[in-house]
Amino acid sequence: MSTFKITSVLLTVFFLGLSFGMNAQDCKCTVERINNQTVFSAGCALPQDICALEVGDNVNQVDLLRFTDLRGIHIKLGRNIQPSFLGSALSDSKTMFIAKGGVNMVVVDEVNGQNRSVQSDAGNNPNGIKAYSKEIRNCNGDCTLLAPAIPAPVAVVAPGASLSAMLPVTLISWKVEPVRQGVALVWETEQETDNDYFTLFHSSNGIDFEEVAQVAGNGSTDRMSTYRIVDTEAGAGMHYYRLEQVDFDGTLTVLGLRQVRVAGDAPVIAASLSPNPVGAGGNVTVHLPDAAGTPVCLVDLAGRLVFEAGLDANGSFQVPTTLKAGMYVVIARDQATRLVVRP
């Protein structure tokens, strides 16, 4: 189970009334290395709502592709890390990267695969984070991380095609939302010029995308146009969608990435634990159907991962002998259950 999923479950549990001292209103996302695990704080659970992002020292390679809107966000990067960000993530002149030494940041070009690499130790060179931050400050309006000084959306020119001075589509809105049939994808344009078609891509991890639909454009028009399709294959879980637009001459424009979580329709079977309380080093059984082999995570009240393993043939796991006494949360199959560890 990913740490992102862990924090998402914890946040959901809080709103269900199982408050264990976590601050659900904290919009600061912190990423740390704890017990050889990369741990995301509870503030990272809703990537679109963060107000600050901080990555600690020695986290090493860390995937930050889920953060698709970094406008006005200060990103602090610790020493000796290799973070990766999505190239189509939004930025503006107030987006700021503050990096210590040994930072090698990758901005992922999800369309052409021509990633951009910037380093904290490159000084004022074009591939240095200082120069990159200066580009960001020159953004006029909304830009993207891949081209931080060019107003978004960024047009990607197909081989042999020329880039028009005017963007082919003026996008008013682009949103995704769960509906009874799956996920509805809706976008509106104010005007279109030589617009051949739109393409929609889907991913379940924010990295690997597959085409799910093509929608014909309206060519050239000054009228407002609304487009809507439903992805009926979207099941429970997190979904990412990328919208692209293609001109008659083959010019491709990336219009942005959106994400949505679809709740499961299956009845929830609450997990119970025994014994509870338990002493450090003791065995705990998680009472769920076919529990053997199920991944289980143990987190503290601050949302930090302290232990993870797979349940044995009896649906049990051993509490670490070094675990301090107190209240913890056991997560298995998206079910969060309180566990008291005795002195």
Side-chain angles (χ1 to χ4, degrees):
M1 180 184 294
S2 69
T3 305
F4 172 65
K5 193 170 185 179
I6 293 170
T7 54
S8 296
V9 171
L10 286 176
L11 194 62
T12 301
V13 169
F14 178 89
F15 283 112
L16 289 176
L18 296 179
S19 174
F20 306 123
M22 292 179 291
N23 182 6
Q25 302 302 320
D26 185 7
C27 59
K28 179 181 178 180
C29 170
T30 59
V31 187
E32 301 175 278
R33 192 72 176 172
I34 301 175
N35 296 331
N36 293 321
Q37 299 287 336
T38 299
V39 179
F40 287 76
S41 72
C44 308
L46 297 175
Q48 69 276 16
D49 292 336
I50 66 168
C51 58
L53 176 59
E54 183 171 343
V55 183
D57 296 342
N58 304 311
V59 172
N60 300 323
Q61 293 184 345
V62 56
D63 179 350
L64 301 173
L65 302 180
R66 69 196 62 168
F67 300 101
T68 60
D69 190 345
L70 294 171
R71 289 173 295 180
I73 303 298
H74 287 189
I75 303 103
K76 296 182 179 180
L77 304 175
R79 299 183 186 278
N80 305 320
I81 64 172
Q82 300 179 50
S84 56
F85 291 89
L86 195 67
S88 61
L90 291 175
S91 66
D92 60 18
S93 60
K94 296 181 181 179
T95 303
M96 182 180 297
F97 283 87
I98 305 169
K100 296 181 180 179
V103 175
N104 183 13
M105 186 174 83
V106 177
V107 182
V108 177
D109 181 349
E110 67 269 32
V111 178
N112 292 329
Q114 298 175 354
N115 298 343
R116 178 173 182 174
S117 178
V118 290
Q119 298 86 35
S120 60
D121 300 327
N124 292 317
N125 293 333
N127 61 337
I129 287 182
K130 287 185 178 179
Y132 180 72
S133 296
K134 185 176 180 180
E135 286 185 56
I136 291 176
R137 289 195 298 272
N138 290 332
C139 172
N140 183 14
D142 292 338
C143 300
T144 67
L145 291 184
L146 195 62
I150 302 175
V154 175
V156 182
V157 183
S162 62
L163 178 61
S164 170
M166 295 290 291
L167 287 172
V169 167
T170 300
L171 192 68
I172 300 175
S173 66
W174 156 224
K175 59 185 179 180
V176 298
E177 56 187 4
V179 294
R180 180 175 299 179
Q181 301 90 344
V183 172
L185 317 174
V186 184
W187 64 101
E188 293 181 299
T189 63
E190 187 175 32
Q191 65 84 31
E192 302 177 20
T193 304
D194 295 334
N195 179 20
D196 191 0
Y197 61 90
F198 298 94
T199 310
L200 290 135
F201 295 83
H202 170 265
S203 171
S204 57
N205 59 12
I207 303 173
D208 305 307
F209 284 82
E210 295 183 352
E211 181 179 327
V212 293
Q214 271 193 12
V215 178
N218 283 323
S220 297
T221 178
D222 291 328
R223 294 183 178 181
M224 184 179 297
S225 303
T226 301
Y227 299 86
R228 184 181 189 273
I229 68 169
V230 176
D231 181 7
T232 58
E233 301 296 322
M238 185 66 77
H239 299 273
Y240 301 82
Y241 293 93
R242 189 175 73 233
L243 176 63
E244 298 180 0
Q245 180 271 332
V246 179
D247 275 7
F248 290 124
D249 67 0
T251 301
L252 170 69
T253 303
V254 181
L255 298 178
L257 188 75
R258 297 290 184 269
Q259 65 183 42
V260 64
R261 177 175 293 279
V262 176
D265 294 328
V268 175
I269 302 175
S272 61
L273 309 174
S274 64
N276 189 7
V278 66
N283 289 322
V284 174
T285 300
V286 181
H287 298 284
L288 283 173
D290 302 318
T294 297
V296 63
C297 302
L298 192 65
V299 299
D300 63 17
L301 299 186
R304 294 187 292 259
L305 176 69
V306 297
F307 173 77
E308 61 180 339
L311 297 178
D312 62 21
N314 297 318
S316 302
F317 70 94
Q318 183 180 22
V319 176
T321 57
T322 57
L323 196 64
K324 296 180 180 179
M327 181 83 74
Y328 296 86
V329 178
V330 175
I331 300 175
R333 293 186 191 163
D334 290 352
Q335 299 303 300
T337 309
R338 288 174 290 183
L339 176 67
V340 177
V341 176
R342 296 192 304 261

